[in-house]
Coordinates of all heavy atoms in Angstrom, one line a residue:
M20 N -2.0 61.9 151.3 CA -1.9 62.9 152.5 C -2.7 62.3 153.6 O -3.6 61.5 153.5 CB -2.6 64.2 152.0 CG -2.2 65.3 153.0 SD -2.8 67.0 152.4 CE -4.0 66.7 151.2
N21 N -2.2 62.7 154.8 CA -2.8 62.3 156.0 C -3.9 63.2 156.6 O -3.6 64.3 156.8 CB -1.7 62.3 157.1 CG -1.4 60.9 157.7 OD1 -2.2 59.9 157.6 ND2 -0.3 60.6 158.3
I22 N -5.2 62.7 156.6 CA -6.3 63.5 157.0 C -6.8 63.2 158.3 O -6.8 61.9 158.6 CB -7.4 63.4 156.0 CG1 -6.9 63.7 154.5 CG2 -8.7 64.2 156.4 CD1 -6.9 65.2 154.2
C23 N -7.0 64.1 159.1 CA -7.6 63.8 160.5 C -8.9 63.3 160.5 O -9.9 63.8 159.7 CB -7.5 65.0 161.3 SG -8.4 64.9 163.0
N24 N -9.3 62.2 161.1 CA -10.6 61.6 161.1 C -11.6 62.5 161.8 O -12.8 62.4 161.6 CB -10.6 60.2 161.8 CG -9.9 59.2 160.9 OD1 -9.9 59.3 159.7 ND2 -9.3 58.3 161.6
T25 N -11.2 63.3 162.7 CA -12.1 64.0 163.6 C -12.5 65.4 162.8 O -13.7 65.6 162.8 CB -11.4 64.4 164.9 OG1 -10.9 63.2 165.4 CG2 -12.4 65.0 165.9
C26 N -11.5 66.1 162.3 CA -11.9 67.4 161.8 C -11.8 67.4 160.2 O -12.3 68.4 159.6 CB -11.1 68.5 162.4 SG -9.3 68.4 162.0
G27 N -11.3 66.5 159.6 CA -11.1 66.4 158.2 C -10.0 67.3 157.6 O -9.9 67.3 156.4
L28 N -9.2 67.8 158.4 CA -8.1 68.8 157.9 C -6.9 67.8 157.8 O -6.8 66.9 158.4 CB -7.8 69.8 158.9 CG -8.9 70.9 159.0 CD1 -8.4 71.9 160.1 CD2 -8.9 71.8 157.7
P29 N -6.0 68.3 156.9 CA -4.6 67.6 156.8 C -4.0 67.7 158.2 O -4.2 68.6 159.0 CB -3.9 68.4 155.9 CG -4.9 69.2 155.1 CD -6.0 69.5 155.9
K30 N -3.2 66.6 158.5 CA -2.6 66.4 159.9 C -1.8 67.6 160.3 O -1.8 68.0 161.5 CB -1.8 65.1 159.9 CG -2.7 63.9 160.0 CD -2.9 63.5 161.5 CE -4.1 62.7 161.7 NZ -3.8 61.1 161.9
E31 N -1.2 68.3 159.2 CA -0.3 69.4 159.7 C -1.1 70.7 160.2 O -0.7 71.4 161.0 CB 0.5 70.0 158.4 CG 1.2 68.9 157.6 CD 0.3 68.5 156.5 OE1 0.1 69.2 155.4 OE2 -0.1 67.3 156.7
L32 N -2.4 70.7 159.7 CA -3.3 71.9 160.1 C -4.2 71.4 161.3 O -4.8 72.3 162.0 CB -4.1 72.3 159.0 CG -3.4 72.8 157.7 CD1 -4.4 73.2 156.7 CD2 -2.6 74.0 158.1
C33 N -4.2 70.2 161.6 CA -5.2 69.8 162.5 C -4.7 70.1 164.0 O -3.5 69.9 164.3 CB -5.4 68.2 162.5 SG -6.0 67.4 164.0
V34 N -5.6 70.6 164.9 CA -5.2 70.8 166.2 C -5.9 70.0 167.2 O -6.0 70.2 168.4 CB -5.4 72.3 166.6 CG1 -4.4 73.2 165.8 CG2 -6.9 72.8 166.4
C35 N -6.7 68.9 166.7 CA -7.4 68.1 167.6 C -6.7 67.5 168.7 O -7.0 67.4 169.8 CB -8.1 66.9 166.9 SG -9.4 67.5 165.6
E36 N -5.4 67.1 168.3 CA -4.6 66.4 169.3 C -4.3 67.5 170.4 O -4.2 67.1 171.7 CB -3.3 65.8 168.8 CG -2.7 64.8 169.7 CD -1.7 63.9 168.9 OE1 -2.3 62.9 168.3 OE2 -0.5 64.1 168.9
N37 N -4.0 68.6 170.1 CA -3.7 69.7 171.1 C -4.9 70.0 172.0 O -4.7 70.2 173.2 CB -3.2 71.0 170.4 CG -1.9 70.9 169.7 OD1 -1.1 70.0 170.0 ND2 -1.6 71.6 168.7
I38 N -6.1 70.1 171.4 CA -7.2 70.2 172.2 C -7.4 69.1 173.2 O -7.7 69.3 174.3 CB -8.5 70.4 171.2 CG1 -8.4 71.7 170.4 CG2 -9.8 70.4 172.0 CD1 -9.3 71.8 169.3
A39 N -7.2 67.8 172.7 CA -7.4 66.6 173.6 C -6.4 66.8 174.7 O -6.8 66.5 175.8 CB -7.1 65.4 172.7
K40 N -5.1 67.2 174.4 CA -4.2 67.2 175.4 C -4.6 68.2 176.5 O -4.2 68.1 177.6 CB -2.9 67.7 174.8 CG -2.1 66.6 174.1 CD -0.9 67.0 173.3 CE -0.2 65.9 172.7 NZ 0.8 66.4 171.7
E41 N -5.3 69.3 176.1 CA -5.7 70.3 177.1 C -6.9 69.9 178.0 O -7.1 70.4 179.0 CB -6.0 71.6 176.5 CG -4.7 72.4 176.2 CD -5.0 73.5 175.1 OE1 -6.1 74.0 175.0 OE2 -4.0 73.9 174.5
S42 N -7.8 69.0 177.3 CA -9.1 68.7 178.1 C -9.0 67.5 178.9 O -9.8 67.2 179.6 CB -10.2 68.5 177.0 OG -9.9 67.5 176.2
Q43 N -7.9 66.7 178.8 CA -7.8 65.4 179.6 C -7.2 65.7 180.9 O -6.5 66.7 181.2 CB -7.1 64.3 178.8 CG -5.6 64.7 178.6 CD -5.2 64.0 177.2 OE1 -5.6 63.0 176.8 NE2 -4.1 64.5 176.7
Q44 N -7.4 64.7 181.8 CA -6.7 64.8 183.1 C -5.9 63.5 183.3 O -6.4 62.3 183.4 CB -7.8 64.8 184.1 CG -7.2 65.1 185.6 CD -6.5 66.4 185.7 OE1 -6.9 67.5 185.3 NE2 -5.2 66.4 186.0
I45 N -4.5 63.6 183.2 CA -3.7 62.5 183.3 C -3.1 62.2 184.7 O -2.8 63.1 185.4 CB -2.6 62.7 182.3 CG1 -3.0 62.8 180.9 CG2 -1.5 61.6 182.4 CD1 -2.0 63.3 180.0
T46 N -3.2 60.9 185.1 CA -2.6 60.6 186.4 C -1.4 59.7 186.1 O -1.4 58.7 185.4 CB -3.7 59.8 187.2 OG1 -4.8 60.6 187.2 CG2 -3.2 59.6 188.7
V47 N -0.3 60.1 186.8 CA 0.9 59.3 186.8 C 1.2 58.8 188.1 O 1.2 59.5 189.1 CB 2.2 60.1 186.2 CG1 3.4 59.3 186.2 CG2 1.8 60.8 185.0
M48 N 1.4 57.4 188.3 CA 1.7 56.9 189.7 C 2.5 55.6 189.5 O 2.6 55.0 188.6 CB 0.3 56.5 190.4 CG -0.5 55.6 189.6 SD -2.2 55.4 190.3 CE -3.1 54.9 188.9
A49 N 3.2 55.5 190.7 CA 4.0 54.2 190.7 C 3.3 53.1 191.5 O 2.5 53.4 192.4 CB 5.3 54.5 191.5
V50 N 3.3 52.0 190.9 CA 2.6 50.8 191.5 C 3.6 49.7 191.9 O 4.6 49.5 191.1 CB 1.5 50.1 190.6 CG1 0.3 51.1 190.4 CG2 2.0 49.8 189.2
K51 N 3.4 49.1 193.0 CA 4.3 48.1 193.4 C 4.1 46.8 192.7 O 2.9 46.4 192.5 CB 4.1 47.8 195.0 CG 5.0 48.7 195.8 CD 4.9 48.4 197.2 CE 5.5 49.5 198.1 NZ 4.9 49.6 199.4
K52 N 5.2 46.1 192.3 CA 5.0 44.8 191.7 C 5.7 43.8 192.5 O 6.3 44.2 193.6 CB 5.8 44.9 190.3 CG 5.2 46.0 189.3 CD 3.8 45.9 189.0 CE 3.6 44.9 187.9 NZ 2.1 44.9 187.5
K53 N 5.8 42.7 192.1 CA 6.4 41.5 192.8 C 8.0 41.8 193.1 O 8.6 42.6 192.3 CB 6.4 40.2 191.9 CG 5.1 39.6 192.0 CD 5.2 38.2 191.3 CE 4.0 37.9 190.6 NZ 4.0 36.9 189.5
F54 N 8.4 41.3 194.1 CA 9.9 41.4 194.4 C 10.4 42.8 194.7 O 11.4 43.2 194.3 CB 10.7 40.7 193.4 CG 10.3 39.4 192.9 CD1 9.8 39.1 191.6 CD2 10.3 38.3 193.8 CE1 9.5 37.9 191.2 CE2 9.9 37.0 193.4 CZ 9.5 36.8 192.2
G55 N 9.4 43.6 195.2 CA 9.8 45.0 195.5 C 10.0 45.9 194.4 O 10.5 47.0 194.6
K56 N 9.8 45.5 193.1 CA 9.9 46.3 192.0 C 8.7 47.2 191.9 O 7.7 47.0 192.3 CB 10.1 45.5 190.7 CG 11.5 44.8 190.6 CD 11.6 44.0 189.3 CE 12.9 43.4 189.2 NZ 13.0 42.4 188.2
K57 N 9.0 48.3 191.1 CA 7.8 49.3 190.8 C 7.7 49.5 189.4 O 8.6 49.5 188.7 CB 8.1 50.6 191.5 CG 7.9 50.6 193.0 CD 8.1 52.0 193.6 CE 7.8 52.1 195.1 NZ 8.2 53.3 195.6
N58 N 6.4 49.7 188.9 CA 6.1 50.2 187.6 C 5.5 51.5 187.7 O 4.9 51.9 188.6 CB 5.2 49.2 186.9 CG 5.9 48.0 186.4 OD1 7.1 47.8 186.6 ND2 5.2 47.0 185.7
T59 N 5.5 52.2 186.6 CA 4.9 53.6 186.4 C 3.7 53.4 185.6 O 3.8 52.9 184.6 CB 5.8 54.6 185.9 OG1 7.1 54.5 186.6 CG2 5.2 56.0 185.8
V60 N 2.5 53.8 186.1 CA 1.2 53.7 185.4 C 0.7 55.1 185.0 O 0.8 56.0 185.8 CB 0.1 52.9 186.2 CG1 -1.2 53.0 185.5 CG2 0.6 51.5 186.3
I61 N 0.4 55.3 183.7 CA -0.1 56.5 183.3 C -1.6 56.3 182.8 O -1.8 55.4 181.9 CB 0.8 57.1 182.1 CG1 2.2 57.2 182.5 CG2 0.3 58.5 181.6 CD1 3.2 57.2 181.3
E62 N -2.5 57.0 183.4 CA -4.0 56.8 183.1 C -4.6 58.1 182.7 O -4.0 59.2 183.0 CB -4.6 56.4 184.4 CG -4.5 54.9 184.7 CD -5.3 54.6 186.0 OE1 -5.5 55.5 186.8 OE2 -5.5 53.4 186.2
G63 N -5.7 58.1 182.0 CA -6.5 59.3 181.7 C -6.2 59.8 180.4 O -6.7 60.9 180.1
I64 N -5.4 59.2 179.6 CA -5.1 59.8 178.2 C -6.3 59.5 177.4 O -6.8 58.3 177.3 CB -3.8 59.2 177.7 CG1 -2.6 59.7 178.5 CG2 -3.6 59.4 176.2 CD1 -1.3 58.9 178.2
D65 N -6.7 60.5 176.6 CA -7.8 60.3 175.7 C -7.3 59.6 174.4 O -6.7 60.0 173.6 CB -8.4 61.7 175.3 CG -9.6 61.6 174.4 OD1 -9.9 60.4 174.0 OD2 -10.2 62.6 174.0
T66 N -7.6 58.2 174.4 CA -7.2 57.4 173.3 C -7.8 57.7 172.0 O -7.3 57.1 170.9 CB -7.3 55.9 173.7 OG1 -8.5 55.6 174.1 CG2 -6.3 55.6 174.8
K67 N -8.9 58.3 171.9 CA -9.6 58.7 170.7 C -8.8 59.6 170.0 O -8.8 59.8 168.8 CB -11.1 59.2 170.9 CG -12.0 58.2 171.4 CD -13.5 58.8 171.4 CE -14.3 58.2 172.5 NZ -14.4 58.9 173.7
Q68 N -8.1 60.5 170.7 CA -7.4 61.6 170.1 C -5.8 61.4 170.1 O -5.1 61.9 169.3 CB -7.6 62.9 170.9 CG -9.0 63.3 171.0 CD -9.6 63.8 169.6 OE1 -8.8 64.0 168.7 NE2 -11.0 63.9 169.7
I69 N -5.3 60.6 171.0 CA -3.9 60.4 171.2 C -3.5 59.0 170.8 O -4.3 58.1 171.2 CB -3.4 60.7 172.7 CG1 -4.0 62.0 173.1 CG2 -1.9 60.5 172.7 CD1 -3.3 63.3 172.6
D70 N -2.5 58.7 170.1 CA -2.1 57.5 169.6 C -1.3 56.9 170.8 O -0.1 57.2 171.0 CB -1.2 57.6 168.4 CG -0.9 56.2 167.8 OD1 -0.8 55.3 168.6 OD2 -0.5 56.1 166.7
L71 N -2.0 56.0 171.5 CA -1.4 55.5 172.8 C -0.1 54.7 172.5 O 0.9 54.7 173.2 CB -2.4 54.7 173.5 CG -2.2 54.5 175.0 CD1 -2.3 55.8 175.8 CD2 -3.2 53.5 175.6
K72 N -0.2 53.8 171.5 CA 1.0 53.0 171.1 C 2.2 53.9 170.8 O 3.3 53.5 171.2 CB 0.6 52.1 169.8 CG -0.2 50.9 170.3 CD 0.1 49.7 169.3 CE -0.6 48.5 169.8 NZ -1.8 48.2 169.0
D73 N 1.9 54.9 170.0 CA 3.0 55.8 169.6 C 3.7 56.5 170.8 O 4.8 56.6 171.0 CB 2.4 56.8 168.7 CG 3.5 57.7 168.1 OD1 4.5 57.2 167.5 OD2 3.4 59.0 168.2
L74 N 2.8 57.0 171.7 CA 3.3 57.6 173.0 C 4.0 56.7 173.9 O 5.0 57.0 174.4 CB 2.0 58.2 173.7 CG 2.3 59.0 175.0 CD1 3.1 60.1 174.8 CD2 1.0 59.4 175.7
T75 N 3.5 55.5 173.9 CA 4.3 54.4 174.7 C 5.7 54.3 174.2 O 6.5 54.2 174.9 CB 3.5 53.1 174.7 OG1 2.1 53.4 175.1 CG2 4.1 52.2 175.7
K76 N 5.8 54.2 172.9 CA 7.0 53.9 172.1 C 8.0 55.1 172.6 O 9.1 54.8 172.8 CB 6.7 53.8 170.6 CG 7.8 52.9 170.0 CD 7.4 52.6 168.6 CE 7.8 53.7 167.6 NZ 7.4 53.4 166.2
K77 N 7.5 56.3 172.4 CA 8.3 57.5 172.6 C 8.8 57.4 174.1 O 10.0 57.5 174.3 CB 7.5 58.7 172.5 CG 7.4 59.0 171.0 CD 6.5 60.4 170.9 CE 6.2 60.7 169.4 NZ 5.0 61.6 169.3
L78 N 7.9 57.1 175.0 CA 8.3 57.1 176.5 C 9.4 56.0 176.7 O 10.2 56.2 177.5 CB 7.2 57.0 177.3 CG 6.2 58.3 177.4 CD1 4.9 57.9 178.2 CD2 6.9 59.4 178.1
K79 N 9.1 54.8 176.1 CA 10.1 53.7 176.4 C 11.5 54.0 175.8 O 12.4 53.8 176.4 CB 9.5 52.5 175.6 CG 8.4 51.8 176.5 CD 7.6 50.8 175.6 CE 8.4 49.6 175.1 NZ 7.5 48.7 174.3
N80 N 11.4 54.8 174.7 CA 12.7 55.2 174.1 C 13.4 56.1 175.0 O 14.7 56.0 175.2 CB 12.5 55.8 172.7 CG 12.3 54.8 171.7 OD1 12.7 53.6 171.8 ND2 11.6 55.1 170.6
I81 N 12.7 57.2 175.4 CA 13.3 58.3 176.2 C 13.8 57.7 177.6 O 14.9 58.1 178.0 CB 12.2 59.4 176.5 CG1 11.8 60.1 175.1 CG2 12.8 60.3 177.5 CD1 10.5 60.9 175.2
L82 N 13.0 56.8 178.2 CA 13.4 56.3 179.5 C 14.2 55.1 179.4 O 14.6 54.5 180.4 CB 12.1 56.2 180.3 CG 11.1 57.4 180.5 CD1 9.8 56.9 181.0 CD2 11.8 58.4 181.5
A83 N 14.4 54.6 178.3 CA 15.1 53.3 178.1 C 14.6 52.1 179.0 O 15.4 51.6 179.8 CB 16.6 53.5 178.2
C84 N 13.2 52.0 178.9 CA 12.7 50.9 179.7 C 11.7 50.1 179.0 O 11.3 50.5 177.9 CB 12.0 51.6 181.0 SG 10.6 52.5 180.6
G85 N 11.3 49.0 179.5 CA 10.3 48.3 178.9 C 8.8 48.9 179.2 O 8.7 49.7 180.1
G86 N 7.8 48.4 178.5 CA 6.5 48.9 178.9 C 5.5 48.5 177.9 O 5.8 48.0 176.8
T87 N 4.1 48.6 178.3 CA 3.1 48.1 177.5 C 1.9 49.2 177.6 O 1.9 50.0 178.6 CB 2.5 46.8 178.0 OG1 2.2 46.9 179.4 CG2 3.4 45.6 177.8
S88 N 1.0 49.1 176.6 CA -0.2 50.0 176.7 C -1.4 49.1 176.3 O -1.4 48.3 175.5 CB -0.1 51.1 175.7 OG 0.0 50.6 174.4
K89 N -2.4 49.3 177.2 CA -3.7 48.7 176.8 C -4.9 49.4 177.6 O -4.7 49.9 178.7 CB -3.7 47.2 177.1 CG -3.5 46.8 178.6 CD -3.8 45.3 178.9 CE -3.5 45.0 180.3 NZ -3.6 43.5 180.5
E90 N -6.0 49.4 177.0 CA -7.2 49.9 177.6 C -7.0 51.4 178.2 O -7.4 51.6 179.3 CB -7.7 49.0 178.6 CG -8.4 47.8 178.1 CD -8.4 46.6 179.1 OE1 -8.2 46.9 180.3 OE2 -8.6 45.6 178.7
G91 N -6.3 52.1 177.4 CA -6.1 53.6 177.8 C -5.1 53.8 178.8 O -5.0 54.9 179.4
K92 N -4.3 52.8 179.2 CA -3.4 52.8 180.3 C -2.0 52.5 179.7 O -1.9 51.6 178.9 CB -3.7 51.8 181.2 CG -3.9 52.2 182.7 CD -3.8 51.0 183.7 CE -5.1 50.8 184.4 NZ -4.9 49.8 185.3
I93 N -0.9 53.3 180.2 CA 0.4 52.9 179.9 C 1.1 52.4 181.1 O 1.0 53.0 182.2 CB 1.2 54.1 179.3 CG1 0.5 54.6 178.0 CG2 2.6 53.7 179.0 CD1 1.1 55.9 177.4
E94 N 1.8 51.3 181.0 CA 2.6 50.8 182.2 C 4.0 50.7 181.7 O 4.4 49.9 180.8 CB 2.0 49.5 182.6 CG 2.7 49.0 183.9 CD 1.8 48.0 184.8 OE1 0.6 47.8 184.5 OE2 2.4 47.5 185.7
L95 N 4.9 51.4 182.5 CA 6.3 51.3 182.1 C 7.0 50.7 183.3 O 6.7 50.9 184.5 CB 6.8 52.8 182.0 CG 6.3 53.6 180.9 CD1 6.5 55.0 181.1 CD2 6.6 53.1 179.5
Q96 N 8.1 49.9 183.0 CA 8.8 49.2 184.0 C 9.8 50.2 184.7 O 10.5 50.9 184.1 CB 9.7 48.1 183.4 CG 8.7 46.9 182.9 CD 9.5 45.9 182.0 OE1 10.7 46.1 181.9 NE2 8.8 44.9 181.5
G97 N 9.7 50.1 186.0 CA 10.5 51.0 186.9 C 9.7 52.2 187.3 O 8.6 52.4 186.8
D98 N 10.2 52.9 188.3 CA 9.6 54.1 188.8 C 10.1 55.3 188.1 O 11.2 55.8 188.3 CB 9.9 54.2 190.3 CG 9.0 55.4 191.0 OD1 8.5 56.2 190.2 OD2 9.0 55.4 192.2
H99 N 9.3 55.9 187.2 CA 9.7 57.0 186.4 C 8.8 58.2 186.5 O 8.7 59.1 185.7 CB 9.8 56.7 184.9 CG 10.6 55.4 184.6 ND1 12.0 55.5 184.6 CD2 10.3 54.3 184.2 CE1 12.5 54.3 184.3 NE2 11.4 53.5 184.0
K100 N 7.9 58.3 187.7 CA 7.0 59.2 187.8 C 7.4 60.6 187.4 O 6.7 61.3 186.6 CB 6.5 59.3 189.4 CG 5.5 58.3 189.6 CD 5.0 58.6 191.1 CE 6.0 58.7 192.1 NZ 5.5 58.7 193.5
L101 N 8.4 61.1 188.0 CA 8.8 62.6 187.7 C 9.2 62.8 186.3 O 8.9 63.8 185.6 CB 9.8 63.0 188.9 CG 9.1 62.9 190.2 CD1 10.2 63.3 191.3 CD2 7.9 63.8 190.3
R102 N 10.1 61.8 185.9 CA 10.6 62.0 184.5 C 9.5 61.9 183.5 O 9.3 62.7 182.5 CB 11.6 60.8 184.1 CG 13.0 60.9 184.5 CD 13.6 62.1 183.7 NE 13.8 61.9 182.3 CZ 14.4 61.2 181.6 NH1 15.3 60.4 182.2 NH2 14.5 61.3 180.3
V103 N 8.4 61.0 183.8 CA 7.3 60.9 182.9 C 6.6 62.3 182.8 O 6.2 62.7 181.6 CB 6.3 59.8 183.3 CG1 4.9 59.9 182.6 CG2 6.9 58.4 183.0
K104 N 6.3 62.9 183.9 CA 5.7 64.2 183.8 C 6.5 65.2 182.9 O 5.9 65.9 182.1 CB 5.5 64.8 185.3 CG 4.8 66.2 185.2 CD 4.3 66.7 186.5 CE 3.6 68.0 186.3 NZ 3.0 68.5 187.5
E105 N 7.8 65.3 183.2 CA 8.6 66.2 182.4 C 8.5 65.8 181.0 O 8.4 66.7 180.1 CB 10.1 65.9 182.8 CG 10.7 66.9 183.6 CD 12.1 66.4 184.1 OE1 13.0 66.1 183.3 OE2 12.3 66.4 185.4
E106 N 8.6 64.6 180.6 CA 8.6 64.1 179.3 C 7.2 64.4 178.5 O 7.1 64.9 177.4 CB 9.0 62.7 179.0 CG 10.4 62.4 179.5 CD 11.5 63.3 178.8 OE1 11.2 63.7 177.7 OE2 12.5 63.5 179.6
L107 N 6.1 64.2 179.3 CA 4.8 64.5 178.7 C 4.7 66.0 178.5 O 4.1 66.4 177.4 CB 3.7 64.0 179.7 CG 3.4 62.6 179.8 CD1 2.5 62.3 180.9 CD2 3.1 61.9 178.5
I108 N 5.2 66.8 179.3 CA 5.2 68.3 179.1 C 5.9 68.7 177.8 O 5.5 69.4 177.0 CB 5.8 69.0 180.3 CG1 4.8 68.8 181.5 CG2 5.9 70.6 180.0 CD1 5.4 69.3 182.9
K109 N 7.2 68.0 177.7 CA 7.9 68.2 176.4 C 7.2 67.8 175.2 O 7.3 68.4 174.1 CB 9.2 67.5 176.5 CG 10.3 68.2 177.4 CD 11.6 67.4 177.3 CE 12.5 67.6 178.5 NZ 13.5 66.7 178.7
L110 N 6.3 66.8 175.4 CA 5.6 66.3 174.2 C 4.3 67.1 174.0 O 3.5 66.8 173.0 CB 5.2 64.8 174.4 CG 6.3 63.8 174.4 CD1 6.0 62.5 174.9 CD2 7.0 63.7 173.0
G111 N 4.1 68.1 174.8 CA 2.9 69.0 174.5 C 1.8 69.0 175.3 O 0.8 69.6 175.2
F112 N 1.9 68.2 176.4 CA 0.7 68.0 177.4 C 1.0 69.1 178.4 O 2.0 69.4 179.0 CB 0.8 66.7 178.1 CG 0.5 65.5 177.3 CD1 1.5 64.8 176.5 CD2 -0.9 65.0 177.1 CE1 1.2 63.8 175.7 CE2 -1.1 64.0 176.2 CZ -0.1 63.4 175.6
P113 N -0.2 69.9 178.6 CA 0.0 71.1 179.6 C 0.3 70.5 181.0 O -0.5 69.6 181.5 CB -1.4 71.7 179.5 CG -2.0 71.3 178.2 CD -1.5 69.9 178.0
P114 N 1.1 71.2 181.7 CA 1.5 70.7 183.0 C 0.3 70.5 184.0 O 0.3 69.6 184.8 CB 2.5 71.7 183.6 CG 2.9 72.5 182.3 CD 1.9 72.3 181.2
E115 N -0.7 71.5 183.9 CA -1.9 71.5 184.8 C -2.7 70.3 184.6 O -3.6 70.0 185.4 CB -2.5 72.7 184.7 CG -3.3 73.1 183.3 CD -2.3 73.8 182.5 OE1 -1.1 73.8 182.6 OE2 -2.9 74.4 181.4
T116 N -2.5 69.5 183.5 CA -3.5 68.3 183.3 C -2.8 67.1 183.8 O -3.2 66.0 183.7 CB -3.8 68.1 181.8 OG1 -2.6 67.8 181.1 CG2 -4.4 69.3 181.2
I117 N -1.5 67.2 184.3 CA -0.7 66.0 184.7 C -0.7 66.0 186.2 O -0.1 66.9 186.7 CB 0.6 65.9 184.1 CG1 0.5 66.1 182.5 CG2 1.3 64.5 184.4 CD1 1.9 66.4 181.9
Q118 N -1.2 64.9 186.8 CA -1.1 64.9 188.2 C -0.3 63.7 188.6 O -0.5 62.5 188.2 CB -2.5 64.6 188.8 CG -2.7 64.8 190.2 CD -4.0 64.4 190.8 OE1 -4.8 63.8 190.1 NE2 -4.2 64.5 192.1
V119 N 0.8 63.9 189.4 CA 1.6 62.9 189.8 C 1.2 62.4 191.3 O 1.1 63.3 192.2 CB 3.2 63.3 189.8 CG1 4.0 62.1 190.3 CG2 3.6 63.7 188.5
K120 N 1.0 61.1 191.5 CA 0.6 60.6 192.7 C 1.7 60.0 193.5 O 2.6 59.4 193.0 CB -0.5 59.6 192.6 CG -1.8 60.4 192.3 CD -3.1 59.4 192.5 CE -4.4 60.2 192.4 NZ -5.5 59.2 192.1
Ligands
LIG20 ZN1 -8.3 67.1 163.6

């Protein structure tokens, strides 16, 4: 059985991830890369509570783009700012915690 490290409850009963989603402040922004290309950077995710690799994989699948995650930051290839906000909301992040710059 999968037990949560934070509260010790089985993962089906654990709400730690939901609490984390409500308490964090996420910033989504587009950054300029070489040759006029843009990437989308997502910052502020609480990596103690949220599996960043898993979230990156989901977003890459949904948006059909490349991307990486490190040091609490997700970087996706291309400008997907508005889609990313929409998809994060669908994944359970409250809209008021997501700021698009
Ligand atoms: Zn928990």
Side-chain angles (χ1 to χ4, degrees):
M20 197 174 14
N21 243 338
I22 304 278
C23 170
N24 291 328
T25 310
C26 64
L28 287 171
K30 284 270 160 99
E31 310 91 76
L32 299 175
C33 161
V34 293
C35 293
E36 196 159 284
N37 291 340
I38 293 167
K40 281 172 180 167
E41 277 162 29
S42 62
Q43 66 206 335
Q44 190 60 54
I45 299 169
T46 307
V47 183
M48 59 192 154
V50 292
K51 274 190 192 145
K52 306 300 278 188
K53 281 183 209 162
F54 312 117
K56 286 185 179 163
K57 280 181 179 178
N58 279 3
T59 307
V60 173
I61 306 160
E62 282 180 338
I64 291 167
D65 182 356
T66 52
K67 285 190 211 100
Q68 305 287 352
I69 309 283
D70 186 340
L71 201 65
K72 280 214 173 102
D73 184 58
L74 181 60
T75 307
K76 208 168 87 184
K77 280 181 191 157
L78 289 171
K79 279 161 69 177
N80 283 338
I81 293 164
L82 301 166
C84 67
T87 53
S88 63
K89 63 173 180 187
E90 289 156 18
K92 235 198 241 183
I93 298 175
E94 186 156 350
L95 300 167
Q96 289 169 7
D98 185 351
H99 307 286
K100 273 191 306 191
L101 298 174
R102 273 297 301 284
V103 164
K104 178 169 183 176
E105 252 173 59
E106 297 305 331
L107 288 174
I108 292 167
K109 283 187 203 161
L110 291 168
F112 292 88
E115 63 273 19
T116 65
I117 308 164
Q118 196 191 0
V119 178
K120 280 194 177 165

